[in-house]
Amino acid sequence: MKADRGRKYRLYPTPGQEEVLTAWGHSARALWNVALEQRQYVYRQRGVTLRSTEQCRSLTAARAEVDWLRKLPATAGQQVLRQLDLAYDNFFNPAHPAGHPRFKKRGSRMNLSLPGQTVKVRKLNRHWAEVQVLKIGWVRFRLSPRPGRDASQHHDQ
């Protein structure tokens, strides 16, 4: 089965998988906050703007010492730092309405990107499929019709 690039699907993980994904989400939020604080501190102290390339080197070293960072997939941590770069790029772009990057609260919506992974998808039936997620295995998701197609065309794929 071929996955549609750029589409979002809702996952239906098992309770154990959900626990791991939730922990990763909290870790990604905490990493965002630490990285944002580090950027603000370095700018205040030295007038230097940090980017993800410098922070990724620190992240690699920190993963050896900090348990919650070690549990977060390395690509997910790197992606958080790239997203922080994008948040700053949008803030400094006069054509973009973005405000200054903000700290993320614990109750805010969690998301996690796992870029660069080879995506393996297998269709279970006409409504359900599974995607293989690094470190947690196969996770179910519900298939939905492609935009512009009605449900009667969907089952023929």
Side-chain angles (χ1 to χ4, degrees):
M1 178 179 169
K2 185 178 174 187
D4 290 334
R5 291 181 64 102
R7 300 237 10 235
K8 292 183 181 183
Y9 295 92
R10 179 174 179 192
L11 296 180
Y12 291 85
T14 65
Q17 291 170 332
E18 184 174 4
E19 186 177 318
V20 171
L21 288 169
T22 299
W24 287 354
H26 286 301
S27 296
R29 178 192 47 80
L31 177 59
W32 170 280
N33 290 341
V34 168
L36 179 56
E37 176 62 34
Q38 182 185 34
R39 287 183 188 207
Q40 291 176 349
Y41 178 80
V42 169
Y43 187 78
R44 282 191 310 265
Q45 295 299 313
R46 296 187 276 151
V48 175
T49 302
L50 286 179
R51 298 290 290 180
S52 62
T53 52
E54 295 93 10
Q55 287 186 302
C56 278
R57 286 192 287 272
S58 299
L59 177 61
T60 300
R63 285 174 58 81
E65 300 173 16
V66 181
D67 189 48
W68 62 268
L69 277 176
R70 187 173 28 259
K71 291 178 181 176
L72 181 68
T75 56
Q78 293 163 0
Q79 187 64 23
V80 167
L81 298 177
R82 285 189 211 102
Q83 289 168 345
L84 188 53
D85 278 352
L86 182 60
Y88 270 103
D89 291 345
N90 289 339
F91 171 64
F92 287 116
N93 180 355
H96 201 284
H100 192 278
R102 296 180 184 191
F103 291 97
K104 295 188 178 195
K105 297 178 184 177
R106 185 169 175 86
S108 66
R109 188 183 71 124
M110 291 189 296
N111 63 36
L112 186 69
S113 295
L114 297 168
Q117 301 300 311
T118 302
V119 177
K120 293 181 183 173
V121 177
R122 63 183 179 201
K123 191 170 181 178
L124 300 174
N125 57 43
R126 65 183 234 170
H127 297 290
W128 293 93
E130 293 179 317
V131 61
Q132 192 170 32
V133 177
L134 178 75
K135 295 185 179 184
I136 62 171
W138 292 96
V139 182
R140 289 174 45 120
F141 67 93
R142 186 159 178 81
L143 293 170
S144 56
R146 290 187 198 149
R149 297 181 64 182
D150 63 33
S152 65
Q153 294 172 323
H154 177 64
H155 70 17
D156 296 331
Q157 294 179 353

